Amino acid sequence: MTTPDLPPVPGMPADAEARAYDAAKRRADELQGFYIHLTIYALVNLGLFAINAITRGDGGAWWFYWPLMGWGIGILIHAGTTFLGVFSPAWRDRKAQQLYEREHHKAA
């Protein structure tokens, strides 16, 4: 991947600049994915609420909250991975290091 024409950062080698840009782009992709997921969640569940409200009749059941809650769990997990770093590549690397050190020290 090539970096766009960015102003150089004083004292930073070009390869470090490219890596920094690539990391920023990956982060932007993660954020974009989450916001798209959240927007689709809101629109679909608003539609399900409208369908439920229009078709339930007098004394009919409300069911729209079941997919809202089920999919909401997925949204919470996605938010955790996007904003808290839960199960991110950095988390995986830290966990691998911890496991390695634990096993390495046990063997020594």
Side-chain angles (χ1 to χ4, degrees), residues 31-55:
L31 291 168
Q32 182 183 37
F34 175 76
Y35 291 131
I36 289 170
H37 187 187
L38 186 62
T39 300
I40 292 169
Y41 169 79
L43 293 174
V44 168
N45 282 290
L46 184 61
L48 291 175
F49 171 77
I51 290 168
N52 192 187
I54 292 167
T55 62

Side-chain angles (χ1 to χ4, degrees), residues 3 6 9 12-27:
T3 60
L6 298 173
V9 177
M12 184 182 285
D15 61 333
E17 226 176 288
R19 283 193 310 272
Y21 177 79
D22 289 343
K25 184 160 182 351
R26 280 191 306 275
R27 179 67 179 148

Side-chain angles (χ1 to χ4, degrees), residues 7 53 82-83 91 95 104 108:
T82 301
F83 298 107
W91 176 89
K95 193 62 176 175
H104 180 71

Side-chain angles (χ1 to χ4, degrees), residues 79-102:
T81 60
T82 301
F83 298 107
L84 301 177
V86 177
F87 306 123
S88 68
W91 176 89
R92 183 192 61 223
D93 293 342
R94 285 191 310 271
K95 193 62 176 175
Q97 184 65 32
Q98 289 172 351
L99 294 170
Y100 171 78
E101 288 174 3
R102 185 182 326 153

